[in-house]
Amino acid sequence: MPSNYPGFEYDADRETVSAAKVKALESLLIEKGVITGQTVDTVLSHFESKMGPFNGAKLVARAWVDPDFKARLLADCNAACEELGFPTGMSGAEGEHMRIAENTPEVHNVIVCSLCSCYPWPTLGLPPYWFKDPTFRARVAREPRVVLSEFGVELDDSVEIRIWDTSAQIRWWVLPMRPEGTENMSEEELAALLTPEAMMGVATVKG
Amino acid sequence: MKLQHNIGGIENLDPINFETRVFVEPWEERIFGIHTAMMALSNHLGDSLPDYKIDQVPTEFKSFWTWGHLRMGAESLNPFEYFRLRYYEKWLGGISGFFVEEGYITQAELDERTSQYLAEYSQADATLADLPKGGNMGIDEQVMKYLEEGDSPLRPSDMTPKFSAGDRVKVKNVQPGDHTRLPGHLRGKAAEVVKVYEDAFTYFFPTADGLGSPMPVYSLAFQAKDIWLEDLTDPNMVYYNDIFEVYIEAL
C-alpha cells in the first residue's frame, strides 16, 4: 500500500480531493488555451507506445547477442540507440545524454537519484513508485547490500557495488548479466526476460 | 539546511516499499501529463538546440518551466510535508500554485471547480462531467516534438575544464539556497575524477549556488568510507556522482 507514509496522518478523502483538484486544473487549462483537451492523453500514450522499458529490453538483448554492439552501447548509448533504428525520440526528453553501466560477476551497478527522480525516459519509460520514494533514495546511498537483499538480490561481499547518483544531466541505466541457460534463445525471447528493475540494478534476470 | 537536500543516508527508515507501478492512483497520470506539457511549451525553448518555433505555438502558456522549477517547489516545502506527501501530491500542489501565482487561473476558480467535481464524486448516481474537448492541435504537435527531440543542456564550449580524470577533488560546502543539485551527503567529501564529460552543461536558469551558465560536468567516484562511518555502511561499495564544476575544488 503506497499511499501512507508511516507516522503521518491523512484525510480520509485524500484521493478524491486530489482527483477533483487535478481535474479542475486540467479543465481550466484547456478552457484557457494553455493545453488542449487531448494534450495529457497525447503525453501518456507516448509512454505506452514509444518511450518505455520495451526499448531498453531490445537494446540489452542485442548487446547480449552482439559483443560489438555491446561495446558501442557502453561507449555511446545514444549513438547505439540510433543505430538500432528506433523511432526518433531515443535521444528525446530525458534521454539526451544517456549512459549504461555493465554488470559483471565482479561488479554490480544500481541507479538512484538522491535529490529527485532523474530517469532515462527513452530506454526505461517512467520510473516506478519505489524509485521515487524517499526511503529508497535515502537507504541505497548508504546500505545498498541491505536494500538489494530486500529486493531479493543477494550479493557476495566480493562483488563491488557501484551506485550511480544522477545529480547532473546524464541519465544512467544498467546492462544486466545474461542469465545462464539462455544460449538458444532468440533476441526477442531474451528481451522478454527483462524488467525495468533489472535495468535499474535491483533485480537479476532469470532465464 | 533543507532535509530535502540531505536525504542520502538517513537511518531508521522502513523497509523498501516495492511498489512497481508508476502511478498508484489514476489521478496521478493527469498531473504528470500537465507538467510534461509545461516543459514542452516553456518559453525558453526558442533558445534550445532543437529547432523549436516556440513563439509561434498557439498556446496561452508564456512561462518558463523546467525540471528545476518543479524541483524548487518540492525543496521549498516544510520537510515533514515533503515526507508526508506522495510524489505526485507534491507536483499537484506546486503546479497548481504556479498557475495561480502566474495569473493563468485564480484560486477561487480552482476551488470552485474542485468543489463541483468533489460533489459529483460524492453522489453515487451522479454523471461525472467530461473534460472540455478541442483546442488548437498546434499545441499537441509541439508537445510531441518536445518528447521526441528533448531539450539537451549541452552547450558548445571552449572552456578548459579545471580538473582531469585521476585528479583528487573535494566537494565544496556551498550555501544551497532555494535549489541545489549538490546532494547533502557529499558535501565536504573527497573523491576522484573518473570522467570529464565533453563540452559544457547549462541549467537553463541561475541558481543561488552557482548553476546556470554552461560549465563542465564530471563523474566523481567516492569511496564509501570517505562518505560514511565505516560501521554505518556496507562493504565494497563505490559511490558515483555526476557533478557540476562549480561544486568542486582541488583537494
Side-chain angles (χ1 to χ4, degrees):
Chain A
M1 180 65 189
S3 51
N4 288 344
Y5 220 74
F8 291 111
E9 291 186 357
Y10 298 90
D11 294 335
D13 60 356
R14 176 184 187 186
E15 304 305 337
T16 47
V17 168
S18 288
K21 186 173 176 183
V22 77
K23 188 176 177 184
L25 179 65
E26 187 179 354
S27 69
L28 289 166
L29 296 179
I30 296 166
E31 284 172 13
K32 291 173 191 290
V34 170
I35 58 174
T36 78
Q38 291 75 48
T39 303
V40 170
D41 289 334
T42 299
V43 171
L44 296 173
S45 71
H46 195 83
F47 286 93
E48 280 162 23
S49 59
K50 298 234 176 103
M51 276 182 170
F54 39 83
N55 290 333
K58 282 182 202 158
L59 289 158
V60 169
R62 172 63 61 90
W64 281 346
V65 301
D66 180 346
D68 291 338
F69 179 78
K70 183 170 98 173
R72 295 196 295 278
L73 182 69
L74 290 166
D76 187 338
C77 178
N78 287 64
C81 291
E82 198 172 319
E83 183 186 327
L84 269 205
F86 279 107
T88 51
M90 290 303 288
S91 298
E94 287 302 291
E96 297 94 343
H97 307 285
M98 294 184 287
R99 294 185 67 84
I100 188 165
E102 183 188 13
N103 283 352
T104 67
E106 293 80 33
V107 173
H108 184 91
N109 298 281
V110 181
I111 61 166
V112 65
C113 177
S114 71
L115 285 168
C116 48
S117 57
C118 297
Y119 200 62
W121 284 4
T123 53
L124 298 190
L126 296 174
Y129 180 85
W130 63 261
F131 184 75
K132 301 176 283 202
D133 191 6
T135 301
F136 169 76
R137 292 159 41 208
R139 291 190 51 212
V140 79
R142 189 176 50 79
E143 44 176 3
R145 283 177 201 277
V146 183
V147 167
L148 285 173
S149 78
E150 288 175 24
F151 276 97
V153 178
E154 303 286 350
L155 294 175
D156 193 89
D157 281 0
S158 65
V159 177
E160 178 177 296
I161 296 186
R162 295 182 181 170
I163 304 291
W164 297 91
D165 183 5
T166 56
S167 311
Q169 285 137 307
I170 318 297
R171 298 288 169 262
W172 286 90
W173 58 301
V174 174
L175 175 58
M177 281 196 289
R178 180 174 177 167
E180 286 174 18
T182 58
E183 293 74 18
N184 299 320
M185 281 191 181
S186 69
E187 223 174 295
E188 208 170 43
E189 289 168 326
L190 289 169
L193 301 177
L194 286 152
T195 59
E197 279 68 28
M199 294 183 280
M200 303 164 80
V202 299
T204 50
V205 185
K206 310 280 188 296
Chain B
M1 168 173 162
K2 294 187 167 85
L3 178 65
Q4 290 90 316
H5 298 157
N6 293 274
I7 295 273
I10 292 176
E11 292 175 63
N12 297 336
L13 293 170
D14 282 343
I16 303 299
N17 178 351
F18 194 20
E19 169 60 68
T20 57
R21 286 176 298 171
V22 175
F23 304 109
V24 298
E25 290 287 334
W27 66 262
E28 294 182 339
E29 60 182 25
R30 311 311 294 182
I31 195 65
F32 169 75
I34 292 169
H35 160 72
T36 303
M38 292 163 74
M39 291 202 299
L41 300 170
S42 173
N43 64 18
H44 81 287
L45 291 177
D47 301 324
S48 190
L49 296 188
D51 183 22
Y52 295 121
K53 305 272 190 298
I54 202 71
D55 51 350
Q56 294 167 32
V57 176
T59 174
E60 292 304 313
F61 190 68
K62 303 297 176 198
S63 301
F64 183 18
W65 186 261
T66 64
W67 283 109
H69 297 88
L70 180 76
R71 292 169 186 146
M72 205 176 336
E75 290 167 40
S76 73
L77 286 172
N78 175 312
F80 298 108
E81 280 294 279
Y82 182 88
F83 265 100
R84 191 181 76 88
L85 297 175
R86 217 165 51 226
Y87 184 75
Y88 289 111
E89 289 175 319
K90 294 190 267 271
W91 287 36
L92 178 56
I95 290 168
S96 56
F98 174 83
F99 279 111
V100 171
E101 278 165 31
E102 295 284 305
Y104 290 97
I105 59 174
T106 67
Q107 189 65 49
E109 273 179 315
L110 183 63
D111 291 345
E112 187 187 341
R113 191 72 60 94
T114 303
S115 299
Q116 178 195 324
Y117 291 142
L118 263 181
E120 288 177 6
Y121 292 150
S122 66
Q123 296 166 17
D125 56 348
T127 311
L128 297 182
D130 289 331
L131 283 167
K133 293 189 170 40
N136 193 312
M137 287 304 107
I139 296 175
D140 296 348
E141 285 165 19
Q142 167 59 24
V143 171
M144 288 296 297
K145 186 172 162 67
Y146 166 78
L147 286 169
E148 292 181 350
E149 298 182 26
D151 182 19
S152 169
L154 205 64
R155 295 292 180 266
S157 170
D158 52 11
M159 289 172 75
T160 306
K162 286 183 187 162
F163 306 101
S164 308
D167 284 356
R168 296 283 296 164
V169 295
K170 184 180 162 189
V171 178
K172 294 182 196 167
N173 190 15
V174 293
Q175 170 66 248
D178 290 337
H179 178 47
T180 189
R181 295 307 291 163
L182 178 53
H185 58 284
L186 303 181
R187 288 170 180 272
K189 308 300 185 189
E192 181 184 335
V193 174
V194 291
K195 184 176 177 61
V196 185
Y197 291 106
E198 278 179 44
D199 294 317
F201 290 76
T202 176
Y203 199 68
F204 305 109
F205 64 90
T207 64
D209 67 351
L211 301 183
S213 56
M215 69 182 74
V217 168
Y218 302 88
S219 174
L220 299 187
F222 299 79
Q223 297 303 314
K225 67 175 176 47
D226 290 335
I227 310 178
W228 315 111
L229 293 173
E230 203 153 343
D231 60 354
L232 285 179
T233 192
D234 291 346
N236 204 4
M237 150 197 178
V238 183
Y239 196 95
Y240 290 81
N241 184 250
D242 293 324
I243 197 161
F244 289 91
E245 184 171 85
V246 70
Y247 292 143
I248 57 176
E249 60 193 5
L251 185 65

